[in-house]
Amino acid sequence: MEKKLYRSDTDKMLCGVCGGIAEYFDVDPTIIRLLWAILACTGSGILAYIIAAVIIPRR
């Protein structure tokens, strides 16, 4: 079965990017959200989240 990356419709807070990445890698979404928060503190995480929200399709 081929795995595809999608934004999550069920496990989302803003756009579903972190929930979708967590489903793809089969990890807890809280871990992914914490990593995004750490990246956001450096400044590049906010831009990366916006780009991911635009690029990653909805299911």
Side-chain angles (χ1 to χ4, degrees), residues 18-37:
C18 294
I21 291 172
E23 287 175 13
Y24 183 80
F25 289 112
D26 197 29
V27 295
D28 187 25
T30 306
I31 295 170
I32 303 297
R33 288 185 183 110
L34 286 173
L35 291 174
W36 278 106

Side-chain angles (χ1 to χ4, degrees), residues 10-53:
T10 58
D11 188 19
K12 67 179 186 176
M13 292 190 124
L14 292 176
C15 294
V17 173
C18 294
I21 291 172
E23 287 175 13
Y24 183 80
F25 289 112
D26 197 29
V27 295
D28 187 25
T30 306
I31 295 170
I32 303 297
R33 288 185 183 110
L34 286 173
L35 291 174
W36 278 106
I38 292 169
L39 281 175
C41 291
T42 65
S44 61
I46 296 169
L47 181 62
Y49 190 89
I50 293 169
I51 291 171

